[in-house]
Amino acid sequence: MHSVGNDWWRDAVIYQIYPRSFADASGDGIGDIAGIRSRIPHLVELGIDAIWVNPWYRSPMFDAGYDVVTYEEIDPLFGTVEEAEQLIAELHAVGIRTIVDVVPNHTSHLHTWFQEALAAGPGSPERERYIFRDGRGPNGDLPPNDWVSCFHGPAWTRVTEADGTPGQWYLHLFAPEQPDRNWEHPDTVRELEDALRFWFDKGVDGFRIDVAHSLFKAPGLPDLNGLTWDDKCGEHPHWDQPGIHEIYRSWRRIADSYDPPRVFVAEAWVPDHQRLKNYVRPDELHTSFNFDFLTCPWDAARMRRVIDVSLETLGSVGAPATWVLGNHDVARVVSRYARKEQRRGQNLVHLAKEYDLEMGQRRARAAIMLMLALPGSVYLYQGEELGLPEVEDLPGEVMQDPTWARSGGTDPGRDGCRVPLPWSPEGPTFGFNTTGVEGWLPQPEWFGRYAAASQEGAAGSMLGLYRTMLAARRAEPALGGGEIEWLESPSGVLAFVRDGALACVVNMTGIEPCAVPAGEVVQCSGTLTSDGRLPIDTAVWIRL
Ligand code: GLC
C-alpha cells in the first residue's frame, strides 16, 4: 500500500544529488544548482519522489561543504538562495520534494563563532561554543585525550594564542577545519533551530542530519581506551550519548509546526538496531539510513537477517525501514558487488584487487529490484541508475577528500564515488558541462559508456531497468508500506511475498539457477532460463 499526503516519506524513493558532481551549468568544472535545474527532466523520467541534496551552504570546502560557515547563504560555487528557491519550486511543480543536509556536529573553522573563540582566548565565553581543552603533559603539548579523527590523525589541534604561545586544543572528529560544536551551549541549539526554520520557510520538505549520532560527548571526555571509530555505541564517548534525543524531540516539534509537516532522516551509523530505533520514536526523527543493508554482503542468510531485524525493530516504534545501496561516502555498489568479499566499515573503499564488474552489474540490478520490493523508503545515489562503477585509479595529485592527505596517501578516501556524472557518450566532460572545463575530479575515458544518453533506449540498460522498476513499484498496490511474508526457499535464495499478491525472488546461491513460484513474471533483472528458472545474481517479481 502506498502512502499518500503527509505520510509520503514512509515509502518514498529519494534520489541523492551530490551537487558538485551532478551537472555544471556555469561551466567552471563544479556542479551547481542551475545544473540540477537543467536536469529536472532526468529526475522526472526516473520516477523519484524526492531529492536529497548534499550541503550547498557557504563553505571553504575543506570537506566538500560539510564545513559550513552559514546556513543562510548558498556557496557562490553552487548559486544563490534565490536559485535554491527556484529549484525547490520547480521540483514541487513536477511532484518532487526536496530534502537538504544539516550538519549539526561541527562548523567550518571560518564560522564567525570559531574565529571569535580563537581570538578571545582560554576561559572566555567565546571558547564555550566549541570544545577547547588544555593539553596533557607538563607543557600541555599532548592532546587532551586519545580520540582520533575520521580522516586519520588525532581529533585535536593545538592553537596558537594571541600572544604567540602554544595554547589550548580544540576537538574535531573530522578535519581540523571542522571544529566540533559544544551542544551544551544554548547558542548552538538556537543556531541550528534557526537553520531548520530558515530552509523550512523556503519550502524544503525535510533535512538529512549529518552524523546524527554524535553532537553530545561523554562528560569529562574520557579516553577511548582501545575503542575504535566503528565500535558499538553506548559505551563510546563520542557516539550516541543520551542528550541527543531531547534535541531531536525539539526538532520534531519544529518540523510538525509546518503545514505540511516537514521530515528528517538521520545519518546515524549506530550498529545496534535496538539503539538506532530510539532515533525514530514517534516524537523524534522520521527515518534513518539503513547502513546494515548497505554494508551487507551478497549472502541470502545475512541479507534476510538484516531485513528482518530492520523491519522488526523499526516497526516496534512505528517507523518505516529504509533501504540504501550507496552514497557519497562509500564505494559505488557495482564495484562492491563485483568483489567476493565486502568489508564492513564506514568508507568501504579498500576493495580487493580482483573483481568481476559483470557480476557487480548483475547483482546491482537484482539489488534494486529487491530494495524496491521491500516495505519502506528507498535511497538512490546519483549515477547508481547508470550502473556507474567506482573510479578506483584516481592519481594522488587530484585527490580532494581530506582522508587522502591526512592518511599520508595510504587511504584513497571517497573521491572515487564523487567523480562528475557522464551525461553524453562524448565530449571533453561527457556532458557534465558545455564549456569543456575539466570537472573538479577527472573523469576516466571509459565514463562515456555509462552516460545517461548512451543508455537511452538501449535494450537491457541499467537506466532502463531503474525507470521500469520505479514505475512498476508505483503501479503495484502490493508495494510501498506493509509487511513481508517469507516463502520457503533453498539456501542462498531470498523469496518473499507482499500482500499475498506479489513475490520477489533473488538468487544469491552463486552456484545454480533456482525455481520460482508459479505466476506471471512482472519484471526480471536478467533472463529466466529456458525451463523458467532464475539464474544466479538475478531477481524476479512474480504476480501470484
Ligand atoms: C558525514 C558525511 C560525510 C562528511 C562527514 C563530516 O559522514 O556524509 O561526507 O565527511 O559527515 O561532516
Side-chain angles (χ1 to χ4, degrees):
M1 258 255 286
H2 294 280
S3 304
V4 288
N6 292 349
D7 273 347
W8 66 274
W9 49 275
R10 290 190 158 270
D11 61 358
V13 177
I14 301 162
Y15 180 88
Q16 179 188 351
I17 293 187
Y18 195 67
R20 324 180 116 246
S21 307
F22 187 66
D24 172 25
S26 73
D28 63 353
I30 300 182
D32 42 44
I33 295 175
I36 305 176
R37 290 172 64 198
S38 75
R39 295 292 179 184
I40 291 177
H42 176 77
L43 305 174
V44 171
E45 233 180 304
L46 191 53
I48 53 156
D49 300 299
I51 59 166
W52 150 36
V53 192
N54 290 91
W56 53 14
Y57 315 109
R58 185 177 284 277
S59 162
M61 305 284 165
F62 280 88
D63 183 21
Y66 280 98
D67 44 329
V68 179
V69 171
T70 169
Y71 286 98
E72 307 195 353
E73 285 172 56
I74 296 281
D75 196 274
L77 280 177
F78 298 135
T80 62
V81 171
E82 291 67 40
E83 285 180 87
E85 286 184 272
Q86 283 162 350
L87 170 69
I88 295 163
E90 286 165 7
L91 287 170
H92 277 164
V94 293
I96 296 177
R97 292 178 165 91
T98 300
I99 292 176
V100 292
D101 234 289
V102 64
V103 190
N105 181 68
H106 42 269
T107 68
S108 161
H109 67 308
L110 299 186
H111 190 291
T112 318
W113 287 347
F114 191 69
Q115 289 300 315
E116 287 174 6
L118 288 179
S124 62
E126 285 82 356
R127 288 222 167 158
E128 290 295 307
R129 295 196 186 105
Y130 290 87
I131 304 180
F132 280 87
R133 292 289 184 277
D134 293 332
R136 293 202 275 207
N139 303 314
D141 48 12
L142 295 173
N145 68 21
D146 67 356
W147 296 4
V148 290
S149 153
C150 174
F151 304 140
H152 299 274
W156 295 91
T157 291
R158 192 171 197 185
V159 302
T160 304
E161 302 298 357
D163 62 3
T165 58
Q168 286 193 302
W169 299 70
Y170 68 89
L171 176 70
H172 52 87
L173 290 181
F174 295 88
E177 297 82 6
Q178 294 168 295
D180 280 53
R181 294 175 181 266
N182 174 10
W183 268 90
E184 309 284 351
H185 200 295
D187 287 352
T188 303
V189 177
R190 186 174 45 79
E191 195 192 11
L192 269 298
E193 289 185 356
D194 289 350
L196 301 182
R197 288 203 177 88
F198 181 86
W199 284 101
F200 285 156
D201 290 343
K202 303 260 174 259
V204 309
D205 300 280
F207 277 97
R208 174 260 189 194
I209 305 171
D210 188 63
V211 216
H213 57 311
S214 192
L215 279 55
F216 289 91
K217 315 296 184 301
L221 310 181
D223 276 337
L224 287 170
N225 283 326
L227 285 175
T228 68
W229 181 270
D230 289 330
D231 266 315
K232 281 244 177 292
C233 306
E235 324 82 51
H236 200 295
H238 61 68
W239 293 145
D240 196 27
Q241 297 292 313
I244 220 158
H245 296 288
E246 205 35 62
I247 297 296
Y248 293 145
R249 285 193 192 100
S250 69
W251 286 19
R252 178 63 179 254
R253 286 192 291 273
I254 295 174
D256 283 348
S257 73
Y258 282 81
D259 181 23
R262 311 300 206 248
V263 304
F264 295 107
V265 55
E267 186 217 19
W269 291 84
V270 180
D272 175 350
H273 263 82
Q274 288 304 331
R275 295 187 73 104
L276 185 64
K277 78 165 198 256
N278 292 338
Y279 289 73
V280 292
R281 288 176 288 197
D283 58 346
E284 295 196 36
L285 307 175
H286 299 73
T287 53
S288 178
F289 291 106
N290 193 338
F291 295 122
D292 282 354
F293 184 75
L294 186 155
T295 54
C296 187
W298 193 251
D299 174 304
R302 290 174 70 175
M303 201 67 112
R304 178 170 171 168
R305 209 169 315 124
V306 169
I307 294 169
D308 278 339
V309 170
S310 308
L311 292 171
E312 202 180 296
T313 41
L314 300 168
S316 72
V317 291
T322 67
W323 312 104
V324 61
L325 292 170
N327 64 35
H328 64 293
D329 291 328
V330 295
R332 283 193 174 275
V333 62
V334 294
S335 299
R336 296 200 321 269
Y337 282 156
R339 265 70 184 196
K340 288 206 187 75
E341 294 288 326
Q342 199 183 139
R343 197 181 64 94
R344 222 205 122 99
Q346 187 178 0
N347 303 334
L348 298 147
V349 285
H350 299 285
L351 298 169
K353 283 264 177 296
E354 272 155 44
Y355 64 99
D356 172 351
L357 214 47
E358 264 173 43
M359 178 175 82
Q361 296 283 359
R362 275 200 313 273
R363 291 180 172 180
R365 293 173 68 88
I368 182 67
M369 289 193 55
L370 166 63
M371 275 213 298
L372 291 172
L374 291 169
S377 70
V378 167
Y379 282 84
L380 312 176
Y381 176 48
Q382 67 179 38
E384 188 183 307
E385 79 280 23
L386 306 176
L388 205 58
E390 180 83 358
V391 181
E392 298 186 34
D393 55 359
L394 286 170
E397 62 274 14
V398 305
M399 294 286 208
Q400 307 262 339
D401 184 348
T403 307
W404 173 255
R406 285 181 61 86
S407 69
T410 58
D411 184 341
R414 304 158 293 174
D415 288 331
C417 65
R418 298 175 175 182
V419 175
L421 288 192
W423 292 95
S424 8
E426 269 147 31
T429 60
F430 302 110
F432 175 58
N433 57 28
T434 53
T435 54
V437 173
E438 187 174 83
W440 66 284
L441 287 170
Q443 298 161 305
E445 51 63 35
W446 49 264
F447 242 36
R449 269 206 310 260
Y450 294 89
S454 319
Q455 301 193 33
E456 211 54 69
S461 74
M462 188 69 95
L463 182 58
L465 178 77
Y466 267 66
R467 285 180 182 160
T468 307
M469 294 318 301
L470 262 67
R473 180 184 195 257
R474 202 183 283 263
E476 192 52 65
L479 300 181
E483 317 261 306
I484 69 171
E485 189 195 323
W486 292 104
L487 294 175
E488 251 184 68
S489 59
S491 142
V493 175
L494 278 185
F496 57 89
V497 180
R498 302 295 318 278
D499 207 19
L502 190 87
C504 174
V505 184
V506 190
N507 183 346
M508 298 184 173
T509 62
I511 302 171
E512 56 189 358
C514 66
V516 297
E520 172 210 346
V521 173
V522 180
Q523 298 293 340
C524 183
S525 68
T527 314
L528 296 184
T529 59
S530 53
D531 60 354
R533 288 179 309 145
L534 183 67
I536 58 165
D537 301 330
T538 308
V540 67
W541 289 5
I542 291 180
R543 195 178 318 287
L544 301 176

